[in-house]
Amino acid sequence: LSVPNTLTRMGVSEGFWHQEFWLPPGATWEDLKESADVHYPQPQDLLLCIPGALLLIFVRCLFERTVALPLGRELGVSDKRRPKVQTNATLESFYILLGRTPKEEDLISLAKQSDLPIKKVETWFRHRRAQDHPRLIKKFCEASWRFTFYFTSFFSGLALLYDKPWFWDHTVCWLKFPQQPLLPALGWFYLLELSFYCSLVATLPFDVKRKDFKEQIIHHIITITLIFVSYCANMIRFGMIVMLVHDASDYILELAKMLHYLKWKRVCEAVFIAFAMVFIISRLVIFPLIVYYYFVTKLALFPVSCLINAFLVVLQLLHIFWSYLIIQMIFRVILCGAKRQDARSDTEESDRSEAEDPAKNQ
């Protein structure tokens, strides 16, 4: 057989699932044939990520309403009072249809149309933008949810892998590949991670939008693709290590953000420095020099491995980009004591009066 029986029954194209694309030279789908005692990844299992993502979105909404929101208010997270915007159909129409920041010639034209001084038109647009700017409590709730998930994910993954010989010796990671039976716990962990990143993509339009919005979309798409492809090609061991390396710093960042929104400046700075160290070590040292190195040196080249390799390179470029922002923030804000706008936040005037802390950088 050139494709798994289950896939044939699903009516999936044999060309897409051809073994020469998905498996290393010499391997066939027959090598991954299941028995009563041995199980291998089945691509159709990943369809569970759709209800999984919906369930996570529901859990997130419930968590933010019943845990994060009351916690934030209890700890003193509060939003500045924002000036009310007087109703003006002309200005509102321009704001919605043509742009939130009118140019000088537009201001002059709008001032004539609305019979207002230019300064008042400028003030109206400034207050209108501030009205749409995400509130601090919303940011706190988002950070709380991500902290909870990343913290749980990282230590759960660590608990699953700490006794596996291939976790400590990456040369064993590819031993007898692709005939590596799937442990049920690792399969469920994979599905959880895929569901989470699908939920992040689904909620991107509603979450706080930052300056690296495009980079975030690229990151999420690459992550989802890597999880899907590595699961189908039975690269579970490698995928688990990659996910754990990435989760190592994420929960520390979200904790730093929470501390920033609480205005616990010194603690926030200490946590952010810890995050920066873990991020740089895990993503600029461990990931490329150990995880990626053994991937390119121990695995034979075939189409899927080349695809994963390309995506891992793009992922590493994002790591370098974010590391640059992190180091820049540490030098400008913590070491030099400068107030700096969040490198990923919206550049709204309403925030310029606030002291920006480094926890909002990545």
Side-chain angles (χ1 to χ4, degrees):
L1 295 176
S2 61
V3 294
N5 290 330
T6 51
L7 294 174
T8 304
R9 288 196 298 267
M10 292 172 64
V12 180
S13 169
E14 290 190 13
F16 179 77
W17 293 107
H18 198 280
Q19 60 198 25
E20 291 183 0
F21 178 79
W22 289 93
L23 301 176
T28 68
W29 289 118
E30 277 294 322
D31 298 330
L32 303 182
K33 191 173 182 179
E34 291 196 320
S35 65
D37 301 322
V38 179
H39 298 282
Y40 292 103
Q42 298 297 317
Q44 68 268 24
D45 295 341
L46 295 180
L47 293 175
L48 290 173
C49 74
I50 299 174
L54 295 176
L55 178 61
L56 282 176
I57 292 173
F58 172 77
V59 172
R60 171 185 171 175
C61 293
L62 189 64
F63 175 86
E64 290 186 357
R65 285 176 178 271
T66 61
V67 178
L69 185 60
L71 178 64
R73 287 175 176 168
E74 182 68 24
L75 293 176
V77 178
S78 58
D79 294 296
K80 289 188 175 183
R81 297 186 66 180
R82 300 177 181 183
K84 292 183 178 180
V85 178
Q86 293 183 348
T87 303
N88 189 304
T90 301
L91 303 184
E92 184 69 24
S93 177
F94 185 96
Y95 181 87
I96 294 174
L97 300 176
L98 299 177
R100 295 159 33 124
T101 309
K103 298 178 181 179
E104 186 175 351
E105 55 268 26
D106 294 324
L107 287 172
I108 296 172
S109 174
L110 289 168
K112 291 179 179 179
Q113 293 177 46
S114 56
D115 196 24
L116 291 172
I118 294 179
K119 286 292 183 182
K120 284 196 174 183
V121 174
E122 288 179 333
T123 301
W124 187 95
F125 275 92
R126 184 169 63 252
H127 291 171
R128 182 66 179 84
R129 288 193 296 271
Q131 183 176 296
D132 282 351
H133 198 64
R135 296 187 176 274
L136 208 59
I137 192 66
K138 175 178 172 61
K139 295 180 180 181
F140 180 85
C141 289
E142 285 188 13
S144 299
W145 164 248
R146 289 193 173 100
F147 166 78
T148 302
F149 182 88
Y150 288 135
F151 183 88
T152 305
S153 172
F154 174 70
F155 286 100
S156 297
L158 201 59
L160 289 172
L161 298 187
Y162 84 97
D163 61 343
K164 306 296 186 294
W166 46 266
F167 176 66
W168 304 103
D169 183 1
H170 291 186
T171 58
V172 183
C173 182
W174 300 107
L175 190 64
K176 296 182 179 179
F177 174 80
Q179 290 178 295
Q180 298 173 342
L182 174 65
L183 298 176
L186 300 188
W188 284 110
F189 186 89
Y190 240 75
L191 182 61
L192 177 66
E193 289 280 333
L194 180 60
S195 299
F196 177 71
Y197 282 102
C198 287
S199 73
L200 286 186
V201 171
T203 58
L204 267 177
F206 312 102
D207 291 340
V208 175
K209 190 174 181 180
R210 302 185 183 278
K211 279 189 173 180
D212 69 341
F213 181 74
K214 293 180 180 178
E215 289 82 359
Q216 282 293 314
I217 293 177
I218 294 172
H219 175 271
H220 294 340
I221 292 175
I222 288 176
T223 302
I224 290 171
T225 305
L226 286 174
I227 292 174
F228 173 82
V229 172
S230 63
Y231 186 87
C232 295
N234 199 24
M235 298 182 187
I236 302 297
R237 295 180 180 182
F238 174 70
M240 286 292 298
I241 294 172
V242 171
M243 287 189 284
L244 198 64
V245 167
H246 284 73
D247 286 346
S249 60
D250 287 340
Y251 73 93
I252 307 175
L253 170 64
E254 299 304 330
L255 176 61
K257 288 181 182 180
M258 293 167 64
L259 294 170
H260 168 75
Y261 302 141
L262 292 171
K263 296 182 173 61
W264 296 0
K265 184 177 179 182
R266 295 303 177 191
V267 183
C268 171
E269 290 179 350
V271 171
F272 185 80
I273 290 175
F275 155 73
M277 293 174 61
V278 174
F279 184 94
I280 291 171
I281 291 172
S282 62
R283 304 201 187 189
L284 296 189
V285 179
I286 295 176
F287 178 72
L289 300 184
I290 299 177
V291 180
Y292 180 73
Y293 171 78
Y294 282 106
F295 173 76
V296 296
T297 58
K298 297 296 180 181
L299 188 64
L301 288 177
F302 57 101
V304 158
S305 71
C306 294
L307 176 66
I308 292 177
N309 182 58
F311 278 8
L312 290 177
V313 170
V314 175
L315 205 57
Q316 187 60 22
L317 292 176
L318 289 174
H319 296 164
I320 295 170
F321 167 71
W322 281 321
S323 296
Y324 165 74
L325 294 181
I326 292 167
I327 294 170
Q328 186 182 53
M329 183 65 77
I330 289 176
F331 275 96
R332 291 192 180 185
V333 179
I334 296 179
L335 300 183
C336 301
K339 293 182 179 180
R340 184 176 182 272
Q341 185 70 19
D342 175 9
R344 285 179 55 194
S345 67
D346 297 325
T347 54
E348 296 298 339
E349 294 86 346
S350 61
D351 276 2
R352 289 177 183 169
S353 60
E354 299 179 10
E356 295 296 336
D357 275 307
K360 298 172 68 182
N361 179 60
Q362 199 275 339

